[in-house]
Amino acid sequence: MGRLIKNHWARLIILTAAAYQIGSAIEGFIWPKVFWDFMTKNLNGAVKPIPVLQILNLLMGLLGLAWEWPLKYFAGTLPHRSIEFRLILYPLSSLLSMLLYQGTDPAIYYIVGIGVYFWAYSEGEISLISAKAQGPRKTRGMSPPSIHNEDVRIETRILATDDEDVPVNKKTSFNGRLNQYFHTTKQLPNPSTADGSKRKSESESTNQSDDSKSKRSKKVVSPAVLNLSQRITRSRSASSSPATDSSSPGRSRARRQPSSRKSTPASSPVSLLRDTIPPNLTLLLVGVNPGIMTGATGYVYAHPSNLYWKLLHSSGITSIRHPPSDTYRLPELYNIGNTNIVERPTRDASMLSKAEMDAGVPVLEEKVATQRPEAVCLVGKSIWEAVWRARKGRAIRKEEFRYGWQDESENMGRCEGWNGAPVFVATTTSGLAAGMSMAEKQAVWEELGKWVVSRREAKKDTTPM
């Protein structure tokens, strides 16, 4: 199984507690009773004649349900992204449930959920929110272009993903009647060549009809704005196709054409991650592609559920378990580097097509041939499958695949005067991959770690005193 993402688990527990709390509050209106009335009668005034305790439990249950679901009014807000805020509020919900006779079950669920949230907080899962809170990084020497179109407004919200924050779950919509109340993510598709051709044809027709008029300057959103991880929302006049000008007589506003392309909210248009491939590395680690959080932070394997940094340490490749922020220190500290076969960030590697993976193989071969590392480690079976397809022209057979060192004939980056780098195929480090146990993954990585340690010691022995 993959690594448990504890704040996701805690969220489900709190949702259960909130639902129980609402039910207990409703029952409390029918049968008002304090759980502790066998010890003291002083609390009876909280349930009758005025049902104060029942009302408070009902409100707190509704708040917890709306917060953790979440409703669109809560989604993306600071309290919704904060585990600390939950650790402050949910003990109060637990206390109110504990006082009501019918609320003992939700109180227990709240206590368990608070414990799991604290577990997640103590293991650093809160770090993914702080990384998002920094917002998109600005490119040195560049500033985003200003946009003067009244029909276009930019919401500077950072892309949130299910893997890297408390997710917006897939809701039961009750035939669509409740959709208006739930948080949804909308993305504007990237500008394509088809859109450019439409604008060009429209401009040509305008010039032919009236040559005496001055050319109209069309206000188009620059693609650089999309590269700042900002979502763009267009009003009806800006999203109409083709674009029209209300001040132009004789031309009516065209109806909006439904888009045939599906949005891809699980992918990011930009990645801040850079290769770390100085010449003559001991080991070059090759990943599939950056995740959403990796692309946003610029650090490899940045999501807390990924096992990469743990396996590097347990195998002996690194002396300590480094945080993802030490990505660019690895060449200096251990003479190891990182790159990916595909640069486009996605939520999951399964979202990449085989063609996209195969296209990255010659690029990877060129990187290896240029920088000449001693060995190349492919982090994941799918990378070796892509290399095999690109070389052999067919998919690899089950009996042909094996983890560990590959034959010398499969060396990567072979060129004139150099026999290429040996290839080691390691297991994926994704926390979502459950095909192998942790012990099986560690066994594969320990084989690689022994080789790295031996090479490191051999270099020390040959270094002149």
Side-chain angles (χ1 to χ4, degrees):
M1 293 180 62
R3 179 180 174 185
L4 175 66
I5 303 177
K6 299 170 188 66
N7 66 85
H8 291 193
W9 180 31
R11 170 180 167 272
L12 298 177
I13 298 174
I14 295 298
L15 279 171
T16 305
Y20 268 127
Q21 189 176 23
I22 294 171
S24 64
I26 294 174
E27 186 180 353
F29 284 111
I30 302 171
W31 186 32
K33 181 176 173 61
V34 174
F35 179 79
W36 306 97
D37 60 355
F38 63 92
M39 296 179 61
T40 177
K41 303 295 184 182
N42 294 335
L43 297 176
N44 288 348
V47 294
K48 60 181 180 182
I50 301 176
V52 177
L53 193 56
Q54 296 93 316
I55 294 174
L56 290 176
N57 273 278
L58 181 61
L59 293 177
M60 294 301 289
L62 291 172
L63 177 62
L65 200 62
W67 191 359
E68 295 289 6
W69 188 269
L71 293 186
K72 64 179 181 180
Y73 308 106
F74 289 89
T77 61
L78 179 61
H80 177 242
R81 302 195 313 266
S82 171
I83 292 182
E84 296 100 321
F85 202 87
R86 289 168 167 84
L87 294 176
I88 295 172
L89 182 66
Y90 289 148
L92 177 60
S93 298
S94 178
L95 176 61
L96 290 173
S97 298
M98 201 179 300
L99 294 176
L100 194 63
Y101 181 80
Q102 295 87 351
T104 52
D105 283 346
I108 294 173
Y109 274 91
Y110 271 122
I111 292 172
V112 174
I114 292 167
V116 177
Y117 263 130
F118 183 77
W119 186 11
Y121 178 77
S122 64
E123 288 206 351
E125 290 192 5
I126 191 67
S127 63
L128 59 93
I129 298 174
S130 62
K132 284 171 176 270
Q134 295 174 2
R137 300 181 181 180
K138 295 182 179 180
T139 304
R140 184 177 298 177
M142 297 181 65
S143 58
S146 57
I147 300 175
H148 303 287
N149 194 341
E150 300 82 25
D151 295 330
V152 179
R153 66 182 185 276
I154 300 178
E155 299 177 359
T156 56
R157 296 178 181 175
I158 303 171
L159 293 176
T161 67
D162 293 344
D163 287 341
E164 298 167 358
D165 202 348
V166 180
V168 179
N169 72 329
K170 297 180 180 179
K171 55 200 173 288
T172 304
S173 64
F174 294 92
N175 296 325
R177 289 195 294 270
L178 296 182
N179 281 350
Q180 57 181 320
Y181 301 107
F182 292 118
H183 170 75
T184 56
T185 301
K186 295 181 179 180
Q187 272 198 337
L188 182 68
N190 292 334
S192 63
T193 55
D195 297 332
S197 62
K198 287 182 180 180
R199 296 191 189 99
K200 185 177 180 180
S201 61
E202 180 183 353
S203 177
E204 291 176 353
S205 62
T206 304
N207 292 335
Q208 291 175 358
S209 62
D210 190 4
D211 294 335
S212 63
K213 292 184 179 180
S214 62
K215 294 182 180 179
R216 303 180 186 273
S217 60
K218 297 182 179 294
K219 299 174 182 177
V220 182
V221 181
S222 171
V225 180
L226 297 177
N227 291 336
L228 297 176
S229 298
Q230 295 173 333
R231 290 183 297 191
I232 298 180
T233 304
R234 294 190 177 187
S235 61
R236 180 174 299 178
S237 60
S239 60
S240 303
S241 176
T244 58
D245 190 353
S246 58
S247 61
S248 175
R251 290 202 295 174
S252 60
R253 187 182 301 276
R255 292 184 180 180
R256 181 184 303 176
Q257 299 294 329
S259 175
S260 60
R261 291 184 297 175
K262 295 181 179 179
S263 63
T264 56
S267 62
S268 174
V270 67
S271 173
L272 300 177
L273 182 65
R274 305 189 309 274
D275 287 346
T276 51
I277 322 179
N280 304 317
L281 288 170
T282 301
L283 179 67
L284 174 61
L285 294 145
V286 181
V288 180
N289 73 311
I292 298 297
M293 187 174 180
T294 293
T297 62
Y299 304 138
V300 296
Y301 307 95
H303 196 270
S305 69
N306 198 287
L307 303 173
Y308 175 80
W309 298 97
K310 180 178 180 179
L311 288 170
L312 282 188
H313 174 46
S314 65
S315 64
I317 297 176
T318 61
S319 57
I320 63 172
R321 182 172 175 176
H322 288 273
S325 57
D326 285 346
T327 294
Y328 303 103
R329 298 181 61 207
L330 293 182
E332 175 188 356
L333 296 175
Y334 306 103
N335 202 33
I336 61 177
N338 283 279
T339 187
N340 289 290
I341 192 170
V342 177
E343 295 183 359
R344 181 172 68 92
T346 59
R347 182 179 305 153
D348 185 72
S350 62
M351 302 178 67
L352 300 174
S353 65
K354 289 183 178 180
E356 196 170 4
M357 293 280 289
D358 295 351
V361 173
V363 179
L364 177 60
E365 294 268 15
E366 180 64 26
K367 291 179 182 178
V368 176
T370 302
Q371 302 303 99
R372 299 193 177 187
E374 291 187 41
V376 173
C377 173
L378 306 181
V379 185
K381 177 182 178 182
S382 61
I383 308 175
W384 182 237
E385 290 174 337
V387 173
W388 189 279
R389 285 194 303 269
R391 290 178 174 179
K392 314 289 186 181
R394 61 174 177 84
I396 189 171
R397 301 187 186 98
K398 186 176 181 180
E399 61 272 12
E400 292 174 323
F401 175 80
R402 71 175 185 273
Y403 286 108
W405 294 107
Q406 306 301 311
D407 296 336
E408 186 178 353
S409 60
E410 301 295 345
N411 285 6
M412 184 163 286
R414 185 182 281 107
C415 59
E416 184 178 355
W418 189 53
N419 196 34
V423 177
F424 185 95
V425 179
T427 66
T428 180
T429 60
S430 172
L432 299 175
M436 298 178 68
S437 67
M438 185 61 188
E440 291 173 325
K441 292 181 180 180
Q442 285 179 329
V444 175
W445 280 85
E446 283 173 3
E447 181 184 356
L448 177 64
K450 290 177 182 178
W451 179 85
V452 173
V453 171
S454 66
R455 290 298 303 147
R456 196 174 292 153
E457 291 175 351
K459 287 184 178 181
K460 287 182 181 179
D461 294 338
T462 57
T463 302
M465 299 299 293

